[in-house]
Amino acid sequence: MMVVDAHMHVPRLGTVALAWMQWAVDFGQDSPWRDVFGPDGDPVPARLDALLETEGVDVALLFAEYSPQATGIQPVEDLLPLIAYNPRRFRLVANVNPAVHAQPAAEAARQLDLGAVAVKLHPVHGAFRPDAEDLYPIYELCAERGVPVIVHTGGSIFPGSQPEAGDPRLMIQVIADFPGVTFVLAHGGRGEWYADAARMALACDNVWLDLAGLPPKRLPDYYGAFDLTELARKWIFGTDWPGVPGLARNVRAVAALGLPEDVLADVLGGNAARVYLRA
């Protein structure tokens, strides 16, 4: 089956906060993620490409992030050498933060022009509400360009975070106002909002859940109030690498859930291809 990891972070290590490094060490302790980086802390494109080939990942979405108070600045420009090395495997995801970018929509447009396939908002790290009026131009831009929007849902362990901004219900009015935009609730409402995120995905054709950062074996518990096969039709596989024990390990764990073969194929790659790759 095609595998798309729809949620990876590959920064230059010199640009991230100490808390980010500790997170990567703690949650990626069983993974050889450090081997991807050179002695200067910069990712080596050939090494990352080889790792994904070995782990069976066909396509990876690489996330920029502008969160100086939480994880640091991971500028979109730092990802361009990776994209250029193997554009068939690597795809770019834009990120904007109204506390960093004076004109968020213009910055989103700039990053989309660099080849980004989606726009990510991280209200928890940026300490803003995703339904704020000044963010509506971003949603309008994505509607015009047919680009999906990824919104972090759930809390965060990083200092400076604003957990309440991760409530997926803050997106209800935005989703209603932009029925033509595809929205992905990253981390599936992690924490206290799993059920809310699941209900939103099931109720709206244009809402999806990404599984980044969620141990696959725990998914039946997290979404215990729902028919797992029905809900899985709205799942998009992602790992939150490097904070994961292993890419192939997570793929195998999803496969072990016992989903029907066609649903499993969509979770691992088909849904991401339709949402992000227009396949």
Side-chain angles (χ1 to χ4, degrees), residues 18-31 33-34 157-159 240 242-246 249:
L18 290 177
W20 189 99
M21 285 294 297
Q22 192 60 54
W23 162 77
V25 169
D26 291 345
F27 289 91
Q29 57 185 318
D30 296 328
S31 167
W33 67 270
R34 290 297 293 264
I157 64 172
F158 293 107
D240 217 12
V244 61
R249 181 171 168 180

Side-chain angles (χ1 to χ4, degrees), residues 143-226:
E144 292 169 3
R145 296 204 183 189
V147 173
V149 175
I150 305 168
V151 180
H152 177 103
T153 59
S156 171
I157 64 172
F158 293 107
S161 298
Q162 186 174 304
E164 61 271 21
D167 184 343
R169 294 172 297 183
L170 296 174
M171 289 298 296
I172 289 176
Q173 188 59 54
V174 175
I175 292 167
D177 289 341
F178 295 93
V181 175
T182 297
F183 292 93
V184 179
L185 305 180
H187 312 294
R190 182 169 57 195
E192 61 185 287
W193 295 297
Y194 286 118
D196 294 311
R199 281 191 288 268
M200 291 168 63
L202 291 172
C204 304
D205 291 341
N206 62 326
V207 177
W208 300 79
L209 309 176
D210 97 8
L211 304 180
L214 308 183
K217 66 180 180 180
R218 299 290 306 277
L219 293 172
D221 299 324
Y222 296 154
Y223 298 109
F226 302 88

Side-chain angles (χ1 to χ4, degrees), residues 19 42 69 152 156 179 235 241 245:
D42 288 357
Q69 302 304 316
H152 177 103
S156 171
W235 285 350
W241 190 95

